[in-house]
Amino acid sequence: MHRPTTSDRATGQELLNAVPTQRARSAPVLTAPVPAPAVATDRATGQELLNAVPTQRARPAPVVTSPAPAPAAPTAVTPAVPVVAPAPGTSLPGWRRVLQLLPTPTGTPFTFCYVLVLIATSLFVQHGDPDAVSTLLRGSSTDVAHLMDRPLLVLGASALWVAGDPLGPYAIAFFFTLTALERRIGGWRTAGVFLAGHVGATLATEIPVGVSVVAGHLPATSLHRLDYGISFGLMASIGALAGLFGPLLRATLLGFVSLMLLQDLLAFVDPLTNWGHPLALLAGIACWPAVRRWARWRNGFALLDR
């Protein structure tokens, strides 16, 4: 006989008749162990935080800053003032300025020694044996005959004598002109200017005489004459020195010298000498570019506007 069976609603299993409803014991549920809560750390400080406590923020340690130094008071800067060397003679006392006009063995050795030589030869001319004096003067002459025979000797020896009065205007002008020129451009350059006028004017006047004698325009006696002195070199030195002066003083000096030379040409007492002086003066003027450059190098100035 078939017995009706019942089933458990919860589990769907079949139950025995007349047996109280059995409850199937459920299988134990296995659960994974709960991991211990992680310890939280502060991101900012890296310290551990307590669970269930709001995030604690470590109070940052106070930053001790030293007080900023007070700005230094600005110091006054004195602008550099260029030192300008005074022009020669402007800052010297009166007696020193006078001494600057005179030659000295240390300041103007060329002029100083040259003046001593001229004093010695002038004393010899005045107090020496007349025959010896005449022989030396003729042997030192730069006439055509001597220039053709021994040119270097006579060109040098002719500049060791003063023609005429040793205390005349040419000697006095020589004394002051060469002193002033040497103080501005130096001894060697002053000697060069002097020789340029002395040699240049001598050759420029004597060579035409030789050509005229050869051509028959002058007698043979023109080849022998007395021609010596310092005047050609002096004129070249005056012309060169004028280039270091200002316009007014330069024009005054050149005008006075030119007027004097013009009077000599009109008198025409010594044609070769009278023509040689203007040529020597022009030789000195031609030295202006070099003389001004030498003066600028030596003394730091180009022109003397006083």
Side-chain angles (χ1 to χ4, degrees):
M1 179 174 180
H2 179 74
R3 293 181 179 178
T5 59
T6 59
S7 60
D8 192 351
R9 295 177 183 178
T11 63
Q13 294 180 350
E14 206 174 293
L15 301 178
L16 296 179
N17 292 329
V19 178
T21 303
Q22 302 101 19
R23 297 282 182 184
R25 184 177 295 177
S26 60
V29 179
L30 299 178
T31 60
V34 178
V39 179
T41 58
D42 189 358
R43 297 179 181 178
T45 62
Q47 297 178 350
E48 292 185 2
L49 304 177
L50 299 179
N51 295 331
V53 178
T55 301
Q56 304 97 31
R57 296 287 181 182
R59 180 175 299 174
V63 179
V64 180
T65 59
S66 58
T75 57
V77 179
T78 303
V81 179
V83 179
V84 180
T90 57
S91 61
L92 298 177
W95 64 273
R96 290 290 301 275
R97 297 182 191 178
V98 174
L99 291 180
Q100 291 289 313
L101 302 176
L102 307 178
T104 59
T106 56
T108 57
F110 169 71
T111 305
F112 183 83
C113 294
Y114 203 164
V115 168
L116 292 181
V117 171
L118 294 178
I119 292 175
T121 55
S122 298
L123 291 176
F124 176 74
V125 169
Q126 291 182 354
H127 304 286
D129 181 69
D131 294 336
V133 171
S134 177
T135 301
L136 287 176
L137 291 180
R138 291 185 180 279
S140 302
S141 177
T142 54
D143 54 18
V144 177
H146 287 97
L147 286 175
M148 294 178 61
D149 186 22
R150 45 184 185 273
L152 295 181
L153 177 61
V154 295
L155 284 173
S158 63
L160 302 179
W161 309 90
V162 177
D165 187 2
L167 297 179
Y170 282 101
I172 296 175
F174 174 91
F175 186 84
F176 291 106
T177 300
L178 263 71
T179 300
L181 186 61
E182 185 174 358
R183 288 195 183 278
R184 287 158 177 81
I185 66 174
W188 288 104
R189 297 182 178 96
T190 300
V193 172
F194 184 90
L195 287 177
H198 177 73
V199 175
T202 298
L203 296 179
T205 53
E206 294 293 344
I207 290 178
V209 173
V211 174
S212 298
V213 170
V214 172
H217 300 294
L218 289 176
T221 55
S222 301
L223 300 177
H224 304 274
R225 55 184 295 273
L226 279 179
D227 188 10
Y228 62 89
I230 59 174
S231 59
F232 289 170
L234 170 62
M235 288 299 160
S237 300
I238 292 176
L241 182 62
L244 300 178
F245 292 148
L248 180 59
L249 185 56
R250 183 191 312 139
T252 302
L253 177 61
L254 293 179
F256 174 78
V257 174
S258 299
L259 181 61
M260 183 183 64
L261 298 182
L262 180 60
Q263 291 177 348
D264 292 339
L265 282 174
L266 294 177
F268 216 61
V269 176
D270 187 351
L272 296 184
T273 301
N274 298 149
W275 280 111
H277 286 163
L279 295 177
L281 183 66
L282 292 176
I285 294 175
C287 295
W288 280 1
V291 167
R292 289 171 174 172
R293 183 171 62 251
W294 294 337
R296 194 178 303 116
W297 288 345
R298 181 177 175 87
N299 299 322
F301 66 95
L303 298 176
L304 296 177
D305 294 323
R306 57 185 62 84

